[in-house]
Amino acid sequence: MDFSSKPVLVFWELTKACGLACKHCRASAIKTPLPGELTTKEGFRLLEQVAAFGRPYPVLIFTGGDPLMRNDFPELLAYAKNLGIKFAVSPAVTDILTHEKLVEIRDSGATSVSVSLDGACKETHDGIRSVDGTFEKTLETIKHAISIGLNIQVNTTVMRRNVNELAKIFHLIKSLGIKTWEVFFLIKVGRGTKIEELNSDEYESVCNFLYDASMLGMTVRTVEGPFIRRISITRSKEGRYWNSSLYKDLSSELNALNGKQTLATSTIATHGTLDGDGIIFIAHDGDVYPGGFIPIALGNVKSDNLARIYREDPLLKDIRNRKILGDCGVCEFKNDCGGSRARAYASSDNPLGSDPACIKAKIF
């Protein structure tokens, strides 16, 4: 896939404000907005810059913090719609995500809404989200959103605290009618620096479990876990090969709850995006980053051109050309996978370094 001329996904962090205080929050979101947020007029100009990439336009993800915390949120959605930009919304599940807000998002033309579910029970999810009652409200929101015709995606961040609940989470959201599950692999940025992440063996187990889950009628995607593409390629050719106790436990529970695989092929893609390669991120103040988990500012949309930054920035070119160092740089799967550039940066201060979460780093 050639993403050299434009990304497929543009993420805009509308605000740092959020009513939750999640343990792993990338944005270190707070209760009130920070100074310097893009104004409504500057937001309109950003949307015009997204459209300037040309048709087909990148898909725009309105995220945060909580994008609903901005008073001009409906105006921004309307402007994106008028420009012909497809967009999705990633709100926090709080008391301001009401029936009226869900209807407003639906009627705005949003292609999907993503909500987070980080546990199969309230103790785990509410403990991670730091607000009691969030688990039940999330389930109610999912059910209600589906009932009014919204396309709902569930996001889950994997960490040591919830890894043993993944099969139950899958079963729960599948029973609710969810069609897409996006699984985030923890990056130690923001408040996530205090969270215990998995080791490479455990990530390999999770990826093999997700491969199994992807054969049960749900689209499964990962964020900052591109090595699942290697597993998808290998498993499709060689069958099951991972033999850890964690994988066995998750796979056995998956089959017990959902039955054996029913699809002939996995929904896991074997090619895709990386931060800076098909993805670009705009922060609340207009700073442009390769992705939401790489705090390396490349410019600012208030004074720079987004398309120029994306197409011409040397770091982004190096990522797209896979000028990667270490084990990722010599791996046979580097063009399919490429390793998490965010995790490489978090572990080595080098976004072109090797991804320590991948088992292949131990093999070389």
Side-chain angles (χ1 to χ4, degrees):
M1 296 182 180
D2 182 7
F3 302 128
S4 59
S5 65
K6 59 184 170 184
V8 293
L9 295 173
V10 174
F11 293 85
W12 179 14
E13 174 194 73
L14 270 69
T15 180
K16 290 279 191 182
C18 182
L20 301 178
C22 303
K23 304 291 188 185
H24 59 292
C25 181
R26 166 205 61 78
S28 296
I30 55 178
K31 297 293 184 182
T32 56
L34 287 175
E37 282 186 0
L38 295 181
T39 65
T40 304
K41 185 178 292 186
E42 288 168 339
F44 288 168
R45 286 202 295 268
L46 169 57
L47 295 173
E48 291 164 2
Q49 289 190 50
V50 173
F53 276 109
R55 295 182 183 273
Y57 302 140
V59 175
L60 180 65
I61 313 297
F62 290 102
T63 184
D66 182 2
L68 300 186
M69 297 285 280
R70 280 193 59 136
N71 293 329
D72 61 356
F73 183 56
E75 298 171 62
L76 296 171
L77 296 185
Y79 201 75
K81 181 179 181 180
N82 289 338
L83 289 172
I85 298 171
K86 292 183 178 180
F87 57 88
V89 180
S90 182
V93 178
T94 69
D95 289 340
I96 66 173
L97 185 58
T98 60
H99 165 76
E100 290 74 21
K101 286 293 184 183
L102 288 170
V103 170
E104 183 179 278
I105 293 170
R106 181 198 65 189
D107 293 346
S108 74
T111 59
S112 67
V113 172
S114 62
V115 297
S116 293
L117 186 67
D118 291 317
C121 61
K122 64 180 181 180
E123 290 77 14
T124 303
H125 180 80
D126 289 1
I128 292 171
R129 296 278 150 182
S130 300
V131 176
D132 290 341
T134 305
F135 178 76
E136 293 299 335
K137 182 168 178 57
T138 298
L139 298 186
E140 293 170 4
T141 297
I142 291 171
K143 294 174 186 176
H144 185 61
I146 291 174
S147 74
I148 65 171
L150 273 168
N151 178 30
I152 296 293
Q153 168 185 303
V154 168
N155 298 340
T156 300
T157 299
V158 180
M159 59 193 82
R160 192 166 302 283
R161 188 169 182 169
N162 66 1
V163 64
N164 293 307
E165 297 182 28
L166 290 178
K168 291 185 178 71
I169 294 172
F170 175 87
H171 179 67
L172 174 59
I173 63 176
K174 189 172 188 296
S175 70
L176 294 174
I178 296 298
K179 303 298 183 185
T180 303
W181 189 26
E182 192 150 282
V183 181
F184 288 63
F185 287 16
L186 182 72
I187 302 294
K188 294 178 79 67
V189 297
R191 283 197 288 267
T193 56
K194 300 178 181 179
I195 300 294
E196 186 179 4
E197 61 184 328
L198 307 183
N199 60 41
S200 58
D201 288 355
E202 292 166 325
Y203 277 125
E204 194 80 357
S205 297
V206 169
C207 285
N208 276 275
F209 157 76
L210 292 175
Y211 182 89
D212 292 349
S214 73
M215 301 184 76
L216 290 170
M218 187 184 298
T219 297
V220 178
R221 296 195 291 258
T222 61
V223 175
E224 304 301 346
F227 36 83
I228 199 170
R229 300 168 198 160
R230 163 181 55 80
I231 290 169
S232 181
I233 293 168
T234 306
R235 288 278 301 269
S236 65
K237 294 178 180 177
E238 301 176 10
R240 190 166 298 181
Y241 71 96
W242 193 242
N243 200 34
S244 75
S245 59
L246 175 59
Y247 169 61
K248 287 180 179 178
D249 290 346
L250 289 174
S251 183
S252 295
E253 188 170 21
L254 180 74
N255 288 332
L257 291 170
N258 302 281
K260 296 290 184 179
Q261 290 93 339
T262 57
L263 300 181
T265 58
S266 165
T267 60
I268 300 289
T270 54
H271 296 79
T273 59
L274 283 183
D275 293 327
D277 185 11
I279 288 174
I280 200 74
F281 181 93
I282 297 95
H284 70 287
D285 57 1
D287 279 346
V288 180
Y289 299 93
F293 299 94
I294 304 182
I296 300 176
L298 311 173
N300 189 291
V301 296
K302 295 177 183 178
S303 55
D304 298 321
N305 180 272
L306 182 61
R308 185 200 62 76
I309 293 172
Y310 180 81
R311 292 166 181 163
E312 299 178 13
D313 183 82
L315 173 59
L316 302 191
K317 284 185 174 182
D318 283 348
I319 292 173
R320 291 195 289 267
N321 292 325
R322 297 297 190 266
K323 292 184 178 180
I324 302 169
L325 307 174
D327 295 333
C328 283
V330 297
C331 180
E332 63 188 293
F333 295 99
K334 76 172 183 178
N335 289 323
D336 304 300
C337 167
S340 168
R341 300 300 92 222
R343 191 175 295 103
Y345 181 75
S347 64
S348 67
D349 291 327
N350 188 347
L352 299 176
S354 200
D355 181 354
C358 181
I359 194 72
K360 291 282 281 185
K362 296 172 63 175
I363 295 173
F364 284 119

